[in-house]
Amino acid sequence: MAKPVQTSEERPLDAIDQRLVRLLEEDGRMSNAMLAREAGIAESTCLVRVRSLRERGVILGIHADIDPAAVGRPVQAMIAVRFGGHRRSHFEAFRDEVPRLPGVIGAYHVSGATDYLVHVAAESADALRDFVLDHLTNRPGVLHAETALIFESLRGDGPLT
Amino acid sequence: MAKPVQTSEERPLDAIDQRLVRLLEEDGRMSNAMLAREAGIAESTCLVRVRSLRERGVILGIHADIDPAAVGRPVQAMIAVRFGGHRRSHFEAFRDEVPRLPGVIGAYHVSGATDYLVHVAAESADALRDFVLDHLTNRPGVLHAETALIFESLRGDGPLT
DNA sequence: ATTGAAATAGCGTCAAT
DNA sequence: ATTGACGCTATTTCAAT
């Protein structure tokens, strides 16, 4: 999951940075000591490099991955939202607000007939319908919202590098 | 992002568990000591509760969120895959293999005309096309793959609870 | 930028409740 | 299940390279 960002594509990561990224991708709570050991550098160096990776925006954050069903949101959906008119202000408002809508896991501004895909976890089918009506269909500029239930959602487990 | 899981929806989380989940969702590297302070419990208790949350599958994992562009994959796409025949074996094979395909961030088995949505980050437009041809279109059982470029991808930042 | 060392802080086991 | 205390390990700063 990524930032708004047009990351300035700084100089490419060296082998050690890549290693650190991969390790933290796999286990975001791995201790600095173990990271250093695995990467073959001193602990203090490791600290500096990981901080730098965060500052440079390579590591956007480290987050617990929560099972929505276990926290009362067993119904997941991907909602395809189409805008009418395509006024820039509509997109900007949507972009600013959609991450904070209740149950939103992610949202993707895409090319093609659909403008946005919104990944949401809801308490029930009823709650999902309410979400779509209240926050999407009802929104100025939105022409249509098409909801697809998610039967199963999988995380990529290969390293990105 | 969630597991295959049909989580047995154990007894609902109490207020402290919810707090811990929310804290780790926001900052997966928060120290046990600070977690305990924020949740108002002893450090040792906190350790036990977090372990339990993992064992119960509430916390699926803790992972660094990497900017794909910063690791050489600046082109993101959501690919809608449609299967023909809908043989169970095709779905099962796909489910097992798709998380390990290069650059796959996530995949969603959905209802409707599309069967799977595959979220991928590629090195270039060419590499994206190759990915689709090699791993999706070319796959037994796959009828069609429709690629939508992702202009921007946003993470939900409200708590799930 | 990387390092080792030293001081500080955190982790995790345990016996008790 | 929760706790405080204790021994151990990890983090982080810093002066030096």
Side-chain angles (χ1 to χ4, degrees):
Chain A
M1 253 115 255
K3 248 197 351 218
V5 81
Q6 181 84 348
T7 315
S8 49
E9 190 60 51
E10 7 240 336
R11 65 168 152 269
L13 309 183
D14 68 17
I16 290 171
D17 283 336
Q18 288 185 8
R19 189 86 179 268
L20 294 174
V21 163
R22 235 177 320 114
L23 289 164
L24 285 172
E25 221 176 344
E26 198 179 321
D27 176 9
R29 260 186 111 75
M30 183 175 289
S31 78
N32 182 70
M34 184 168 293
L35 281 171
R37 258 178 267 131
E38 296 276 333
I41 55 179
E43 295 178 17
S44 44
T45 309
C46 192
L47 225 46
V48 170
R49 289 187 86 121
V50 172
R51 234 199 311 269
S52 162
L53 287 168
R54 294 185 98 128
E55 278 159 8
R56 285 186 281 164
V58 177
I59 296 174
L60 298 168
I62 298 183
H63 306 282
D65 180 18
I66 303 302
D67 178 9
V71 294
R73 296 184 178 269
V75 178
Q76 284 183 245
M78 190 70 82
I79 307 162
V81 179
R82 189 146 26 102
F83 282 77
H86 290 85
R87 287 182 40 201
R88 175 174 272 272
S89 63
H90 288 153
F91 283 91
E92 285 171 356
F94 190 70
R95 171 172 86 165
D96 291 346
E97 294 166 30
V98 70
R100 275 185 285 277
L101 296 180
V104 166
I105 294 171
Y108 308 94
H109 185 185
V110 293
S111 68
T114 293
D115 291 305
Y116 262 95
L117 287 168
V118 180
H119 181 189
V120 71
E123 295 89 333
S124 66
D126 275 8
L128 176 59
R129 184 201 50 189
D130 290 345
F131 175 90
V132 174
L133 293 176
D134 293 344
H135 299 297
L136 301 179
T137 307
N138 194 37
R139 171 175 276 270
V142 167
L143 264 193
H144 191 66
E146 200 172 331
T147 302
L149 288 177
I150 296 177
F151 299 132
E152 179 172 55
S153 102
L154 305 166
R155 245 186 77 85
D157 55 13
L160 239 44
T161 49
Chain B
M1 254 114 255
K3 249 197 348 217
V5 79
Q6 181 84 347
T7 315
S8 51
E9 190 59 53
E10 8 241 337
R11 65 167 154 269
L13 309 184
D14 68 18
I16 291 171
D17 283 336
Q18 288 186 9
R19 190 87 177 269
L20 294 174
V21 163
R22 237 178 316 116
L23 290 164
L24 285 172
E25 222 175 344
E26 199 179 320
D27 176 7
R29 259 185 111 75
M30 182 175 289
S31 78
N32 183 69
M34 182 167 296
L35 281 172
R37 260 179 267 132
E38 296 276 333
I41 54 179
E43 295 179 18
S44 44
T45 308
C46 191
L47 226 45
V48 171
R49 289 187 86 123
V50 172
R51 235 201 308 267
S52 163
L53 286 168
R54 294 185 97 128
E55 278 160 6
R56 285 187 280 165
V58 177
I59 296 173
L60 297 168
I62 298 183
H63 306 282
D65 180 18
I66 304 301
D67 178 9
V71 294
R73 295 184 179 270
V75 179
Q76 283 184 245
M78 190 71 80
I79 306 161
V81 179
R82 190 145 25 101
F83 282 77
H86 289 85
R87 287 182 40 203
R88 174 173 273 270
S89 62
H90 287 152
F91 283 91
E92 286 170 354
F94 190 70
R95 171 172 88 166
D96 290 346
E97 294 166 30
V98 70
R100 273 185 287 275
L101 296 179
V104 166
I105 294 171
Y108 308 94
H109 186 184
V110 293
S111 68
T114 293
D115 291 305
Y116 263 94
L117 287 168
V118 180
H119 180 188
V120 72
E123 294 89 335
S124 66
D126 275 7
L128 176 58
R129 183 202 50 189
D130 289 345
F131 175 90
V132 174
L133 293 176
D134 292 345
H135 296 116
L136 300 179
T137 306
N138 194 36
R139 169 175 279 269
V142 167
L143 263 193
H144 191 68
E146 200 173 331
T147 301
L149 288 177
I150 296 177
F151 299 132
E152 179 171 55
S153 101
L154 305 165
R155 245 187 76 86
D157 55 13
L160 240 44
T161 50

